[in-house]
Amino acid sequence: KKQRIWAKNFYGQIYRTENDSLKIIKHVNTSNPSYPQFTIDDDCNLWMYDSTQLSIINDEGVFIKSYSYDKIGIKTEVTSIKYFNQKIYLICSNLSVYEFNPGIEKSVCLKNTAEEKNITHSNILIQHQDKLLLLVEFENSAKKYQLFSLESNTIKPYYDFKNFDNSQRIYSIYSDNINVWATTSAGVFKINNTQAELFFKSEKVSYMLYDKEKQYWFSTLHNGLYIIPEHQVIKINSSNSKLNENNFNFIKKINSAKFLAGAYSGNLYEYDSDKQEINIAYEYKNEQFYNVKSILNTDDYIIVSRRRLCIIEKKTGKQYFPKLSNVRDIETIKDTIYLVFPDMIIKTTLVSLINNETKNYTTIKKSGGKSVEYNPQNNLLYFVLGEGVFTYDLKNSWTELTYNNEKIYASNIVYKNKTLWIASVSNGVFGIKNNKFEYHYTNNNYLKENNVRTLTVSDSNIWICTENYLHRINLISHDVSLFNSNHSINPKDINHIEVENNYIY
């Protein structure tokens, strides 16, 4: 009530803040193994219990009053306490809950339909919206934990941790007034009614809080402190998943729920967004892979450049290795495949690649680049080459694209929504629609910086990564949102972007 913090240490001292100091209010007998909890009422009085009575002490440590359990009708050992709505709630070891009204000095035992009633001292009471929630740990039971709500003079089941491993522990529960969070030795459960999502799987998360800037803070036992801003960021790395490494170059959507992530080592990992699981995929022991630079997904095959070009048959998982290395990007038009190398561009067919028919490889340009994209509207291929951006009409005719008679040096290109988007290395982003430069985003209008590392486009937004900012520009309203290290995102780390189902990867 007076904006002070109250706490208790392992020596049994209950204290509170006063200006810049800690003031000890009460010494508690620590011979009780439960280290009794305490609560503070609206008048800033301290309420606490021992084996025989309930006591009130003011915020200067002066004793006010005590109530013996016999007098207020409590017959079982008290294990926790909470002040809520001008009443004191006392939890007992047989899962009976007493609501004590200090005004009339009487208690009422709440109705309880729980099957298990033998609980440990490790129970937690928190306020969630307009009710109290109680987390209990059962003794000698197949069911270890359960969450109850205290409302309408009744103890009601709220969430059952029925799939929770008995070897795992719940350290705390927390309410942000929307969801209930349980921090455990196996990650964090976000609970909304009967539904729960698991975050930080396999991480031992000891506690959390939600601050006034709408950021979530998570403390862990082994991996420090995580901060998740209002914009939810989930990090998948070698410490909390089956990843063996943390350096990734490329990500490609395979379908609405599955993605392939390519690592600098050359390994491929498949991420299942429905299950929130990641596993190594398409291993091959007889080939040395390195640095995934591009992944192309077709109906029947996945083509991966990871040092050697690798063609994976989806149905069988069989891998083919044409004698081609260091492909930087891949594009298909019907049966023809275009491959971009640092020093040349060739075209061939999928059958020729699978059968290693080198005689069917045709060099269409003797200088190379790093990116290619097809525009089906005008039947042109767009190439990012070392000497600029060029179009190719599929009949061996090349034309350079310039803007105000200046060359365009680019990092990548994306075709989406009938627009070709060019990420330039020093002049922002260009959008070409109906063969005209329709958009030019720079630091003079929508961007913070002009040095664009990579970009991608969803149905309504374009995502642009520069050296220090990830920009989201709404293509209809042109509203701009910026993300950086303040949002747990370091743009310098971003190599490639995919968007699916309201998530950006």
Side-chain angles (χ1 to χ4, degrees):
K1 198 77 172 181
K2 295 180 180 177
Q3 302 296 300
R4 299 176 301 191
I5 295 171
W6 289 70
K8 182 184 63 174
N9 62 25
F10 289 116
Y11 296 103
Q13 296 167 325
I14 297 175
Y15 50 89
R16 62 167 173 79
T17 55
E18 184 168 291
N19 299 321
D20 62 352
S21 303
L22 297 175
K23 182 171 183 176
I24 296 174
I25 303 300
K26 177 68 178 173
H27 284 268
V28 180
N29 185 353
T30 59
S31 61
N32 186 332
S34 68
Y35 287 94
Q37 298 180 30
F38 66 90
T39 191
I40 310 296
D41 66 19
D42 288 336
D43 296 320
C44 297
N45 294 319
L46 167 71
W47 290 74
M48 52 178 293
Y49 59 87
D50 57 26
S51 59
T52 62
Q53 63 186 4
L54 180 65
S55 302
I56 318 170
I57 298 153
N58 74 13
D59 62 354
E60 295 297 328
V62 178
F63 173 81
I64 298 176
K65 194 171 185 177
S66 65
Y67 301 92
S68 71
Y69 293 151
D70 289 339
K71 182 179 178 181
I72 60 176
I74 295 174
K75 301 175 182 178
T76 314
E77 180 187 18
V78 176
T79 63
S80 57
I81 188 170
K82 182 74 173 177
Y83 178 80
F84 178 65
N85 280 352
Q86 299 180 328
K87 294 174 183 175
I88 302 291
Y89 289 81
L90 299 159
I91 314 301
C92 298
S93 58
N94 62 353
L95 193 50
S96 56
V97 178
Y98 290 88
E99 180 187 87
F100 176 66
N101 187 331
I104 59 175
E105 299 187 347
K106 288 186 178 180
S107 65
V108 175
C109 187
L110 274 57
K111 295 175 185 176
N112 186 356
T113 58
E115 297 173 8
E116 296 275 355
K117 296 190 178 178
N118 190 20
I119 64 174
T120 71
H121 290 84
S122 299
N123 49 72
I124 306 168
L125 273 165
I126 64 163
Q127 181 179 340
H128 177 61
Q129 297 168 349
D130 59 349
K131 55 182 171 284
L132 284 182
L133 295 185
L134 168 65
L135 176 74
V136 301
E137 179 184 8
F138 295 105
E139 273 191 326
N140 305 318
S141 172
K143 182 189 342 185
K144 190 171 184 181
Y145 293 101
Q146 190 165 0
L147 194 57
F148 296 92
S149 67
L150 311 184
E151 49 186 318
S152 304
N153 292 323
T154 307
I155 304 173
K156 299 178 179 179
Y158 187 85
Y159 183 77
D160 191 351
F161 293 88
K162 54 189 175 183
N163 297 321
F164 203 67
D165 189 329
N166 262 14
S167 66
Q168 296 166 342
R169 289 184 58 195
I170 296 178
Y171 299 118
S172 71
I173 54 170
Y174 187 88
S175 169
D176 61 11
N177 271 332
I178 300 171
N179 301 293
V180 177
W181 301 75
T183 66
T184 80
S185 58
V188 180
F189 290 84
K190 184 174 81 169
I191 302 163
N192 194 322
N193 297 323
T194 59
Q195 304 297 316
E197 288 182 80
L198 179 61
F199 300 92
F200 302 112
K201 188 178 180 181
S202 303
E203 190 80 74
K204 288 179 167 50
V205 182
S206 52
Y207 201 73
M208 67 161 290
L209 65 83
Y210 180 61
D211 72 17
K212 64 183 180 181
E213 295 176 352
K214 299 183 179 180
Q215 297 185 115
Y216 290 90
W217 297 67
F218 298 89
S219 59
T220 71
L221 297 186
H222 300 298
N223 285 311
L225 195 64
Y226 290 90
I227 304 172
I228 298 181
E230 181 183 7
H231 304 280
Q232 186 184 79
V233 178
I234 301 169
K235 290 188 178 181
I236 305 161
N237 56 35
S238 59
S239 68
N240 63 13
S241 71
K242 293 181 180 178
L243 288 179
N244 298 319
E245 53 203 306
N246 292 319
N247 196 334
F248 283 79
N249 299 347
F250 206 88
I251 185 164
K252 186 68 177 180
K253 178 174 65 179
I254 303 302
N255 56 45
S256 61
K258 292 189 178 179
F259 300 79
L260 277 183
Y264 188 74
S265 66
N267 288 330
L268 287 175
Y269 292 83
E270 185 181 82
Y271 177 66
D272 188 318
S273 61
D274 287 341
K275 297 178 181 177
Q276 291 191 359
E277 289 181 354
I278 194 161
N279 293 286
I280 199 160
Y282 305 116
E283 283 188 288
Y284 192 83
K285 302 295 186 184
N286 299 330
E287 196 70 38
Q288 187 175 8
F289 299 129
Y290 177 68
N291 195 4
V292 175
K293 290 186 175 177
S294 184
I295 301 172
L296 181 71
N297 179 42
T298 71
D299 290 340
D300 301 312
Y301 294 90
I302 296 167
I303 305 173
V304 184
S305 172
R306 41 177 174 168
R307 193 176 192 176
R308 282 286 293 275
L309 194 64
C310 171
I311 301 170
I312 302 164
E313 191 173 20
K314 287 183 178 179
K315 193 173 183 180
T316 64
K318 186 175 180 180
Q319 301 190 38
Y320 303 90
F321 299 96
K323 292 180 180 178
L324 295 169
S325 298
N326 204 18
V327 175
R328 289 186 170 179
D329 202 7
I330 311 161
E331 183 61 280
T332 59
I333 304 174
K334 296 180 180 178
D335 296 330
T336 305
I337 292 181
Y338 293 84
L339 303 172
V340 181
F341 294 83
D343 56 352
M344 63 177 174
I345 297 166
I346 70 171
K347 69 176 182 179
T348 184
T349 65
L350 185 61
V351 173
S352 297
L353 287 174
I354 290 173
N355 296 329
N356 229 338
E357 297 169 344
T358 55
K359 64 181 184 296
N360 292 331
Y361 300 170
T362 302
T363 301
I364 61 172
K365 195 166 186 64
K366 291 184 177 179
S367 60
K370 52 187 171 183
S371 186
V372 57
E373 193 80 339
Y374 177 57
N375 182 346
Q377 277 195 301
N378 56 18
N379 205 30
L380 289 176
L381 279 166
Y382 290 76
F383 288 88
V384 173
L385 304 181
E387 60 264 34
V389 177
F390 288 76
T391 64
Y392 177 70
D393 68 356
L394 312 186
K395 299 175 183 177
N396 215 30
S397 177
W398 292 83
T399 304
E400 183 174 8
L401 271 179
T402 59
Y403 184 74
N404 293 336
N405 295 319
E406 295 284 335
K407 281 182 173 288
I408 301 172
Y409 295 100
S411 51
N412 77 317
I413 48 178
V414 171
Y415 179 80
K416 182 82 174 181
N417 302 336
K418 298 181 179 180
T419 305
L420 185 91
W421 298 95
I422 303 173
S424 82
V425 296
S426 61
N427 200 12
V429 172
F430 299 97
I432 299 174
K433 195 171 187 177
N434 300 323
N435 297 322
K436 294 180 180 178
F437 283 92
E438 192 79 18
Y439 307 96
H440 187 200
Y441 300 142
T442 70
N443 60 2
N444 292 324
N445 46 40
Y446 298 106
L447 301 183
K448 282 282 190 179
E449 302 165 312
N450 285 337
N451 53 332
V452 182
R453 294 165 51 87
T454 187
L455 64 79
T456 196
V457 184
S458 60
D459 290 335
S460 56
N461 296 301
I462 180 168
W463 297 81
I464 300 166
C465 181
T466 62
E467 193 70 16
N468 296 296
Y469 296 93
L470 176 64
H471 305 69
R472 180 185 63 200
I473 303 174
N474 186 287
L475 295 170
I476 299 168
S477 66
H478 286 89
D479 289 338
V480 182
S481 300
L482 296 173
F483 306 90
N484 55 20
S485 55
N486 292 331
H487 304 89
S488 296
I489 293 169
N490 184 359
K492 289 182 173 69
D493 288 342
I494 297 174
N495 294 319
H496 196 243
I497 303 170
E498 278 277 33
V499 177
E500 178 67 20
N501 289 337
N502 295 321
Y503 282 91
I504 177 170
Y505 296 83

